[in-house]
Structure formats: C-alpha cells, structure tokens
Amino acid sequence: MQLSTDPTDPQNQEVYALWDQLAEFSVGDSDAALTHLLSALRSMLSASNVLWGVLVRLPSPKRADPPLGWRPRLVRLLDPIPTVATSVQKQFDTLWSDNVDLSQILSMSGDEPFRVRLLFETLPAEWFEGEHYRRHYLDVGFADSISVRIALNDDVRIRLFVFRDAQSPRFTAQDGQRLGFAMRALRWFHRQQLLSHGLLIANAPLTPAERRVLLALLDGQTEKQIAQKLNQSPNTTHFHVKSIYAKFGVSNRSALAALWLGKLR
C-alpha cells in the first residue's frame, strides 16, 4: 500500500502541520522543539517511545571496527524510563567492544543519505530468538521498531527509532513510508539541533553552560540579560561568550548569527 500524495489527505495534513509547528520554535527553544517532534511522532505512529540520537565517525577507526567508526555523541529518549535508558547505555557501551550485535552492524552499514528500516524486514527470523532482542526489546517493554537514518554530512548522522510494545500491531510498510515522509524534510531541523550543541561547525563541542549562553545570544539577549537569566556574574557570562566565539571561529555576535544561518562557510 502506497502513501497518499494527496495534500488534502488528513494524514498528510498532520505532517504539514508538524513541519509548520517546528518552524515556529525559536532557536532558544531547541530542546522544546525536539520534544515536540518526538511526541508528535509517537502520537502519529501509535508508538510507545521514541529515541533520537547523533552518531559521529571516529577520525581513525580500527580496520576491523564492526560499527565502521561510528559512535554515539548525543541521545534523547522521549520517555527516559530507567530500564530503557539503562538498555540504551548498555548498547552504546558495546559499540566500543568486540561484542557488537548484528542489528548494530546493519544499522551502521551503507552510505545512503536517507534510509528507513522496519525491524522485522531487516533482521533474520533467528535474531528474534536471540539475547539482544530479549534484553533490549522484550525485557524493556518493546516488541518492534522503525529506524530512520539521516546523513547530515560524511561524518555526522541522525538516528531515530520509534518503538511499539507487544500489545500493539507490528509496524507496516505504510508506517515506514509515513515516518520517512515526515522526517525527510527535516534536515534543517536536525542541523539546528546539532548546531545548538556546537557540532557540525564548532571547533569543539560546547559545554552545557556555553550552550545555554549560545541559545540566549541567538535569541538576541544582551550579556547583562543573559547573566541575570542564568543567575551568573557578568564576568562569567562574558567568559562563556568569548569561549563560544573562539569555538565557532568568529569574533562577534553578528558573525555568529550569520554562521548559524548558513551565510558563512
């Protein structure tokens, strides 16, 4: 069954509305915007949880590296249930070991700039009888997933997983098409998310304190206003501002804003 291309289709209207809603969030509300996206996808696909993550490629991976040099950099769970969060951490820890699961290897393979995969169409039947599926799906309340991979450049990828529990029907090809339709137009959104963490263009990742100052700067607040908002001294705020400029390779707020908007290389 093919996804309808009719712009008046209610399901398509829901996706268009989501795109418009995300565009209304200010730069300083990037965390709230991501929560809104994940919540909307959960509702749209009748899912139980959603995971959004960023993968970066190691500069010099080992020749026999099963994940092909890819490692997690940022992770966001819509509902950070302790058992699920622990499972995610354990899976990421295995990416630094030689005990990498087939599902992880397949998720890293391929160079397609955009890819949607249904769990039950990707992995062999015997995998669902194995330990990884039991520990990281069944034991934490999941039974099925759809994954989306978006390449932002050669060294940075977005990974999104939408999960359903055992009481829900399996995801269908139409579900995958609908998720792909919603996500394919959002490269700008994911790039903005990464920029807010100092990735893609900064010389070094931002600290949490620097990130709060950066978002306030881009919202047009003065250093004095930022210091008051974050309950810190003006000197501390100024120190963070100078560090932000150095990491982004600019010398003032206007150049930072231009870089953020993609007007500078």
Side-chain angles (χ1 to χ4, degrees), residues 5 12 15 40 43 49 53 59 62 67 72 97 102 106 108 118 124 136 149-150 152 169 172 193 195 211 224 240 247:
T5 58
N12 290 346
V15 173
S43 175
N49 211 336
K62 298 183 298 182
S97 71
L102 174 62
L106 291 179
M108 305 295 179
L118 275 66
H136 300 297
R149 186 174 81 192
I150 304 171
L152 296 184
T172 66
Q193 288 290 322
L195 288 171
R211 182 168 181 261
K224 181 178 179 180
H240 288 320
K247 287 184 176 182

Side-chain angles (χ1 to χ4, degrees), residues 149-199:
R149 186 174 81 192
I150 304 171
L152 296 184
N153 60 34
D154 289 342
D155 300 303
V156 181
R157 290 174 174 175
I158 298 294
R159 292 301 313 276
L160 182 124
F161 289 85
V162 181
F163 299 98
R164 277 184 180 169
D165 57 35
Q167 286 70 49
S168 302
R170 286 185 188 175
F171 286 114
T172 66
Q174 188 177 21
D175 291 325
Q177 290 168 3
R178 191 177 186 203
L179 179 60
F181 175 54
M183 293 290 288
R184 191 156 199 134
L186 293 179
R187 286 185 81 253
W188 66 269
F189 174 83
H190 299 296
R191 184 176 177 83
Q192 187 177 75
Q193 288 290 322
L194 267 64
L195 288 171
S196 75
H197 287 274
L199 295 175

Side-chain angles (χ1 to χ4, degrees), residues 70-91:
W70 292 100
R71 296 294 188 277
R73 175 64 179 82
L74 298 170
V75 180
R76 175 75 176 274
L77 269 168
L78 178 59
D79 288 334
I81 302 165
T83 54
V84 178
T86 299
S87 167
V88 170
Q89 184 62 57
K90 288 180 178 178
Q91 291 182 72

Side-chain angles (χ1 to χ4, degrees), residues 3 33 69 100 107 124 145 175 205 225:
L3 186 72
V100 180
S107 72
S145 69
D175 291 325
Q225 290 171 327

